[in-house]
Amino acid sequence: MTEKPFKRRDLLGIRELSAEEIEGILSTAENFREINSREIKKVPALRGKTIINLFFENSTRTRTSFELAAKRLSADAVNISVSSSSVAKGETILDTALNLDAMQPDCIVVRHSSAGVPHQLARVSRAAIVNAGDGANEHPTQALLDAMTIKEHKGGISGLRVSIIGDILHSRVARSNIHLLTKLGATVRVAGPKTLVPNEFLHLVDSGLEVCEKVEDAISDSDVVMILRIQRERQDSAYFPTLREYSIHYGLTKDRLALARKDAIVLHPGPMNRGIEISSEVADSSSSLILDQVKYGVAVRMAVLYLSTGGSTSNE
Ligand code: CP
């Protein structure tokens, strides 16, 4: 692992990455993956580096896996949540970030409910900024771990048919995945309630994106079915009549999954609304790789922290 495949300091979104950079992060993650199944899950790659996790929004998977990733690479990891920070006393996000940056961390991992906050911080901070989810904009490490899961089970991404179902409008996971999967040569079909499928991706139609009228059309013959969470916290008006209606017309049931290829895999970024966007029968079936996604998330975040902070693996 001598040649660094990712020469940027910050990871702000998949939109600005080339296919080569994405492949570079994934192959670095592949190298780190094995560490997570060792009895002693620790290497000195980021010894002496400091990572701050600055989360202004709730998180179970992303925050924990960034912390584990940092610790498994021997970095010092500090977690800050909004309820315990001085933002609660009226300090601006920018001032909070500048104060944290003054303590000379090597990387600040940030999640915020507003799109563009990581980009704003990247302009003023000395530390590398990694986007852990900014509003409905992007969630780059989620798309990378989804890609790692797909590659592991399908052998590659190019030529696959991936359907993304649900609340595309409010989904940073959908945005990052649409960019990543089309860059790596997959056909991506999106479907959901008309009110939750925006027109913003239409320019990608020549790059492998299809917008389907019906969920069944999107799922039909898919290799991968990616189900999105209904994001009630980002919906300021009614986009569909009731959750029951949503579940009936758009939820992934065993019958709808039967339209996909026999060996299709099911992904969901979590947290899941069981019985709404996905039935428990599907979520707990052998087609579901939801916990594999979480597992690969640690290796992907190890790779991202390593590449962003210029760590060394010479002592591994
Ligand atoms: N997928 C995801 O971002 O989960 P968390 O909100 O738990 O981090």
Side-chain angles (χ1 to χ4, degrees), residues 55 58-63 111 132 139 142 172-173 229 269-271 301:
F55 277 59
N58 294 341
S59 170
T60 298
R61 284 146 286 267
T62 313
R63 206 198 66 152
R111 170 173 284 193
H139 192 348
Q142 178 69 43
R172 54 196 178 205
V173 174
R229 182 171 71 89
R301 284 155 185 147

Side-chain angles (χ1 to χ4, degrees), residues 3 88 125 139 158 190 197 215 222 258 297 301 304 313:
E3 179 70 11
S125 94
H139 192 348
S158 183
V190 296
V197 181
V215 165
S222 284
R301 284 155 185 147
V304 166
T313 55

Side-chain angles (χ1 to χ4, degrees), residues 4 22 49 56 72 77 142 206 225 247 256 296 301 303:
K4 293 246 168 63
I22 294 166
K49 304 275 184 186
F56 294 96
R72 288 180 184 176
Q142 178 69 43
D206 292 336
V225 183
S247 160
R256 287 205 173 100
Y296 296 137
R301 284 155 185 147

